[in-house]
Amino acid sequence: MEQQKGILLESGTNELEVIAFGVGAGTFGINVMKVREIIQAPPVTPMPNSHPHIEGIIRLRDEVITVVNLSTVLGLGQSQNPSQDKMIISELNQIKVAFRVQNVSRIHRISWEQIEKPAELSQGLENATTGIVKMDDQMILLLDFEKIVVEINPEKGMNVEQVKALGKRTRSDKKIVVAEDSAMLRKLLHDTLAEAGYDQITFFEHGRGAWEYLQFLKDEDQDVLKEVQLVITDVEMPQMDGHHLTKQIKGDETLKNIPVVIFSSLITRDLYHKGKGVGADGQVSKPEIIKLIEMIDQLIL
């Protein structure tokens, strides 16, 4: 079936829609915004010497798309009836990928406040998921699809070497707040932005933490604009997503003049309007760190 867009017409509601699917005995989820369509699994052409998680390629209309087998990624049992499998055609980090799953059940509309980070004792679960949705009758694990793609193809990530190509840069005294739920990406952002001269950064693992920090500065009667010159936010985060955080900042008389840049794998052509709708000053698609640095330069120098 083709995944229809536009279900959530209003931006900044702190809600998302999750498509639940099965792999092995587990129930997992993917944000509707990442899904282009869902199809019955077609025959796959194997690719020699490819990454173990890559099953091969398929031709979908006029496009050749790489197939990633989630059973292999997650270390779960392979499908007993591959002809009944589904493929979720996803677009993230500016590429399309087909993820093989064993079944697709339904769409759940939930609040980001319902999503919890995996506990440290989840036996490595935190390395594969971005959050856990507790439903009445089940738990849905939200997979970290961006990390899956980067581990297969590191070139789709970002690194300090990219920034070094910009040449020597001066240190900046500008203070930046970053909301990013991935520990791996927080480390990468710390290293790459520091290399670019921006080393006065305060990190939060979700939008709520960043919002509470800004509110704390206000409550302490501090000049917030002297303490924070820019906010960078991901979109998908537990507790409060980036669109809602941006909407909150731009709706606050004291904070609205702080530039907000959305840095997300979800900055596709179809979804760019959502960031505009909540007042974002800029939007950059992961992993384009050079574009992010150029936008920071424009907004705060």
Side-chain angles (χ1 to χ4, degrees), residues 57 100 160 171 184 201 217 277:
I57 56 175
R100 179 187 285 273
V160 173
R171 287 293 112 185
M184 176 187 72
I201 307 174
L217 294 177

Side-chain angles (χ1 to χ4, degrees), residues 42-47 54-59 64-67 87 98:
V44 177
T45 301
M47 292 289 289
I54 293 179
E55 184 177 337
I57 56 175
I58 59 171
R59 186 183 181 101
V64 175
I65 300 176
T66 301
V67 177
M87 285 191 185

Side-chain angles (χ1 to χ4, degrees), residues 9 35 37 108 133 139 147 161 193 264 272 287 293 297 299:
L9 298 178
V35 179
E37 59 184 302
H108 300 271
V133 184
M139 288 195 299
K147 185 174 182 182
E161 296 305 316
L193 292 180
S264 168
Y272 186 83
I293 291 167
D297 291 346
L299 289 170

Side-chain angles (χ1 to χ4, degrees), residues 9-130:
L9 298 178
E10 184 181 353
S11 300
T13 62
N14 208 36
E15 293 177 302
L16 76 158
E17 293 193 327
V18 171
I19 298 176
F21 60 86
V23 178
T27 301
F28 302 90
I30 182 171
N31 191 332
V32 165
M33 291 196 294
K34 294 179 179 176
V35 179
R36 304 303 298 180
E37 59 184 302
I38 298 169
I39 61 173
Q40 196 70 33
V44 177
T45 301
M47 292 289 289
N49 301 318
S50 60
H51 190 282
H53 295 167
I54 293 179
E55 184 177 337
I57 56 175
I58 59 171
R59 186 183 181 101
L60 184 61
R61 294 182 285 277
D62 292 328
E63 291 185 280
V64 175
I65 300 176
T66 301
V67 177
V68 173
N69 191 321
L70 287 183
S71 294
T72 305
V73 172
L74 299 171
L76 300 174
Q78 297 294 326
S79 175
Q80 298 300 309
N81 192 356
S83 65
Q84 297 301 310
D85 286 355
K86 305 289 185 185
M87 285 191 185
I88 299 174
I89 311 301
S90 179
E91 184 174 1
L92 60 153
N93 287 10
Q94 299 185 314
I95 60 171
K96 286 185 180 178
V97 182
F99 293 102
R100 179 187 285 273
V101 303
Q102 286 155 23
N103 60 74
V104 176
S105 54
R106 54 168 292 193
I107 295 176
H108 300 271
R109 182 169 182 167
I110 59 175
S111 166
W112 282 104
E113 293 182 351
Q114 292 176 247
I115 300 174
E116 298 183 11
K117 292 289 287 183
E120 292 182 2
L121 298 179
S122 299
Q123 299 181 349
L125 190 63
E126 70 279 4
N127 293 323
T129 66
T130 59

Side-chain angles (χ1 to χ4, degrees), residues 160 163-164 167 169 171 190-198:
V160 173
V163 183
K164 288 181 178 178
R169 291 169 57 93
R171 287 293 112 185
H190 174 273
D191 293 347
T192 52
L193 292 180
E195 181 67 25
Y198 297 107

Side-chain angles (χ1 to χ4, degrees), residues 140-158:
I140 299 174
L141 308 183
L142 298 180
L143 292 181
D144 191 341
F145 289 93
E146 288 81 1
K147 185 174 182 182
I148 291 170
V149 169
V150 170
E151 287 181 346
I152 292 173
N153 185 357
E155 291 183 4
K156 292 299 178 182
M158 56 185 177

